Amino acid sequence: MATRYDAVIIGAGHNGLVCAFYLARAGLKVRIVERRDVVGGAAVTEEFHPGFRNSVASYTVSLLQPKVIRDMRLEEHGYTVIERPISNFLPQEDGGYLKLGGGLERTQAEFRKFSKHDADTLTAYYDALEGVASVLRDLALKSPPNVGEGLRTLISGASQGWGMARLDLPAKRDILDLFTKSASSFLGQWFESEAVKAAFGFDAVVGNYASPDTPGSAYVLLHHVFGEVNGNKGAWGHVIGGMGTITQIMAKVCRQAGVDISLEAPVTQVLVDGDEVAGVRLESGEEIAAARVIANVGPKLLYGKMLDESHQPEDFRLRMRGFKAGGGTFRMNVALSELPTFTALPQPGEHHRSGIILAPTLDYMDRAFLDAKTEGWSKKPIVEMLIPSTVDDSLAPAGQHVASLFCQQFAPELPDGRDWDDEEDAAADTIIDTVEAVAPGFRASILGRQVLSPKGLYRKFGLVGGDIMHGHMSLDQLWSARPVLGHGAYRGPVKGLYMCGAGTHPGGGVTGAPGHNCAREVIFDRGNWRRFKGV
């Protein structure tokens, strides 16, 4: 423990890198320790088949905070995002299809194929959603009021509640609906077409091991409209070079700011001296002394494995045991000899550059969840396919392609004692069958595949239960209660212990917000008021 750091950060995922950058800019001596041999956490680009590269886990961008992009000057270092021409393409069970996005008028014209009412309602729906999103978007870079801090809690709560207080009564009702209702119930208030409801309802199950009929699932739908690409709110896009481009640039910027980054350095224990953290112990036996330990791993890992329970207050320990994590996500990357040909729309086109959603109705999504609960995975899973090589030819050989398959409703733990290591190939074949049903010839075009079950996602990225959000995005685990009430402002139960990952406010996605906000709290606690104002 010869070198002592102001802060050591566990995990070189994007939030850990963002946090390190702001701390280093404020003058702190920072070291990041990363378990894997590459930075990036779940936002990495890797070769998974000879000549084919792809974003292995996280696969699309929208939620990355514009402030983080500006402060880290990512665009100056090559950060480039290509927007989707349309948001999503949904083949339907009757052989038709629905396209979402490309502008209001285009979407309305598309909706009229299914329902004139839904086309006419769309503007009001967008306005309602954006009215709520604009308020909550402003909260993303603010630390939640930490219950139990007296006057500071009251001031912070009043300040952050002002945005909601200014909303008119219909908007306040929308907030109540979105936080408490199921996606099915919320969307049913607005639309009548099953295809239209599915187009919006898909976002409610992304990373969410739940049915669209589950109360509270409407909020997950809202969480996915917070973002923007190139200044266009709600847009999604492809990062040139894959998601690993983001984190590689961030690591470069951090190193330029003086951050030390250690790879292949897994942490086994957070060290505590008295009532304060003292540093971390690595698997190698090396101990790193630090006045602050900042965890960019999920709460389940931090409090279940790294911080001895003797340092956790009894009630806190009980609450964290009940913290819900497990997203039911199954990820595949496939190398393709050619573009998929969809029965509903055979010719190449803009739909190949969109999110291709195989989940035609909310009932389909509900059945997928029920299957997963009883059988382990759905006979007809929810699949989103993206083909980033359509806009980035660096990912695959000429004339060939890579596709991301983000699949939902795979039990975090299989029933009856079954093991994902024994069954992930069978589950992957079910996913291929699902795509083949709408794009005949897809299976024959596969040159290679990478398969990551929920267990595989945990083993590779430390995502407990395959949970890309580091914990359920349910009402009891949001804002001041993420991960638990009384520790919602990025501070752990031991002095000097902080959290900067997706298990804190505002939650999952490649946002950089938890890392940004945690850095601000560290700087605030250090008493550096001038630096505090810059974060």
Side-chain angles (χ1 to χ4, degrees):
M1 300 179 70
T3 302
R4 181 174 176 83
Y5 290 86
D6 294 315
V8 61
I9 297 176
I10 306 172
H14 79 282
N15 276 311
L17 294 166
V18 170
C19 186
F21 163 76
Y22 283 108
L23 294 180
R25 194 175 72 166
L28 277 72
K29 184 174 180 59
V30 182
R31 181 172 175 182
I32 302 176
V33 287
E34 166 57 42
R35 177 177 63 90
R36 299 188 67 213
D37 61 357
V38 62
V39 301
V44 290
T45 305
E46 296 178 358
E47 184 176 76
F48 66 94
H49 186 73
F52 293 83
R53 301 165 56 245
N54 201 19
S55 304
V56 176
S58 175
Y59 59 99
T60 187
V61 68
S62 173
L63 302 175
L64 187 59
Q65 287 290 321
K67 183 178 187 297
V68 170
I69 295 171
R70 289 193 306 270
D71 288 351
M72 298 189 77
R73 300 164 68 181
L74 300 184
E75 292 176 343
E76 295 179 26
H77 293 276
Y79 172 73
T80 304
V81 182
I82 307 297
E83 290 181 50
R84 300 181 191 177
I86 57 173
S87 302
N88 292 324
F89 164 67
L90 289 84
Q92 294 297 299
E93 292 176 317
D94 63 2
Y97 64 85
L98 182 149
K99 291 181 180 179
L100 178 67
L104 176 62
E105 292 182 359
R106 279 197 62 188
T107 303
Q108 286 179 313
E110 193 75 11
F111 280 15
R112 286 191 188 97
K113 298 191 309 187
F114 298 88
S115 166
K116 180 180 182 301
H117 168 272
D118 291 358
D120 294 341
T121 301
L122 184 60
T123 300
Y125 173 78
Y126 279 159
D127 288 345
L129 220 59
E130 178 55 31
V132 176
S134 63
V135 173
L136 298 184
R137 196 180 286 124
D138 289 342
L139 298 181
L141 291 182
K142 295 179 180 177
S143 300
N146 211 37
V147 174
E149 291 186 349
L151 183 60
R152 188 180 177 195
T153 299
L154 293 175
I155 293 173
S156 179
S159 172
Q160 295 187 35
W162 178 240
M164 293 187 188
R166 289 183 299 172
L167 294 174
D168 60 21
L169 184 57
K172 290 175 181 174
R173 289 170 174 161
D174 289 335
I175 288 178
L176 181 62
D177 286 350
L178 284 160
F179 273 92
T180 59
K181 288 187 175 181
S182 70
S184 296
S185 177
F186 178 74
L187 291 168
Q189 297 173 188
W190 291 92
F191 304 112
E192 59 185 17
S193 164
E194 294 303 319
V196 169
K197 286 187 280 188
F200 292 121
F202 168 74
D203 282 341
V205 299
V206 171
N208 189 19
Y209 187 53
S211 164
D213 292 339
T214 301
S217 57
Y219 173 76
V220 184
L221 178 158
L222 179 67
H223 182 76
H224 286 88
V225 304
F226 285 173
E228 63 180 73
V229 169
N230 301 329
N232 296 320
K233 290 181 179 179
W236 290 80
H238 300 286
V239 181
I240 297 300
M243 297 297 285
T245 297
I246 299 173
T247 48
Q248 287 295 323
I249 292 173
M250 286 180 170
K252 178 182 178 181
V253 172
C254 282
R255 289 187 175 107
Q256 290 175 348
V259 176
D260 294 334
I261 301 177
S262 300
L263 302 178
E264 298 182 282
V267 171
T268 59
Q269 187 178 359
V270 174
L271 302 175
V272 178
D273 183 10
D275 61 353
E276 300 183 17
V277 298
V280 297
R281 179 179 294 119
L282 304 184
E283 194 174 89
S284 65
E286 178 187 357
E287 293 186 350
I288 302 170
R292 299 156 194 86
V293 173
I294 303 169
N296 187 34
V297 298
K300 281 289 190 185
L301 277 183
L302 175 61
Y303 298 114
K305 293 182 178 295
M306 294 180 178
L307 181 67
D308 192 279
E309 286 194 344
S310 64
H311 302 302
Q312 302 176 39
E314 183 178 353
D315 185 65
F316 177 89
R317 185 168 64 244
L318 176 67
R319 304 287 177 177
M320 287 313 306
R321 285 176 182 170
F323 182 80
K324 300 187 298 295
T329 295
F330 195 109
R331 274 288 280 117
M332 289 181 65
N333 296 291
V334 292
L336 302 175
S337 62
E338 61 185 8
L339 281 176
T341 300
F342 294 93
T343 303
L345 194 56
Q347 64 273 25
E350 62 185 3
H351 58 296
H352 284 106
R353 290 177 282 140
S354 72
I356 301 163
I357 309 299
L358 308 186
T361 67
L362 295 179
D363 283 344
Y364 178 106
M365 300 180 204
D366 179 53
R367 288 194 300 271
F369 174 64
L370 296 177
D371 275 356
K373 287 185 68 177
T374 57
E375 305 297 331
W377 68 80
S378 171
K379 303 176 185 68
K380 293 184 177 181
I382 300 165
V383 179
E384 180 181 23
M385 177 193 297
L386 269 77
I387 312 173
S389 51
T390 55
V391 297
D392 183 0
D393 60 11
S394 73
L395 300 176
Q400 299 179 322
H401 291 278
V402 295
S404 300
L405 301 178
F406 177 87
C407 314
Q408 275 299 133
Q409 309 321 2
F410 294 78
E413 294 186 5
L414 290 171
D416 305 320
R418 291 146 54 203
D419 193 309
W420 270 119
D421 286 344
D422 299 327
E423 304 201 29
E424 67 177 10
D425 282 336
D429 289 340
T430 301
I431 293 166
I432 299 302
D433 290 341
T434 303
V435 180
E436 181 77 15
V438 297
F442 180 74
R443 180 184 289 104
S445 72
I446 297 176
L447 303 173
R449 71 187 193 185
Q450 179 184 38
V451 176
L452 291 168
S453 68
K455 182 178 180 180
L457 288 167
Y458 170 67
R459 185 163 47 222
K460 191 174 182 71
F461 299 111
L463 301 174
V464 174
D467 196 331
I468 63 173
M469 307 288 188
H470 284 194
H472 289 189
M473 299 284 288
S474 51
L475 185 59
D476 61 320
Q477 295 185 178
L478 291 176
W479 200 42
S480 290
R482 189 165 186 86
V484 63
L485 206 63
H487 294 279
Y490 311 98
R491 298 170 181 83
V494 179
K495 185 177 180 182
L497 178 63
Y498 297 83
M499 300 165 282
C500 73
T504 60
H505 172 77
V510 179
T511 72
H516 168 280
N517 297 352
C518 178
R520 183 178 54 221
E521 295 307 310
V522 171
I523 295 167
F524 176 87
D525 289 348
R526 196 166 180 254
N528 193 332
W529 292 95
R530 183 174 63 84
R531 293 291 188 183
F532 172 77
K533 292 179 180 179
V535 182

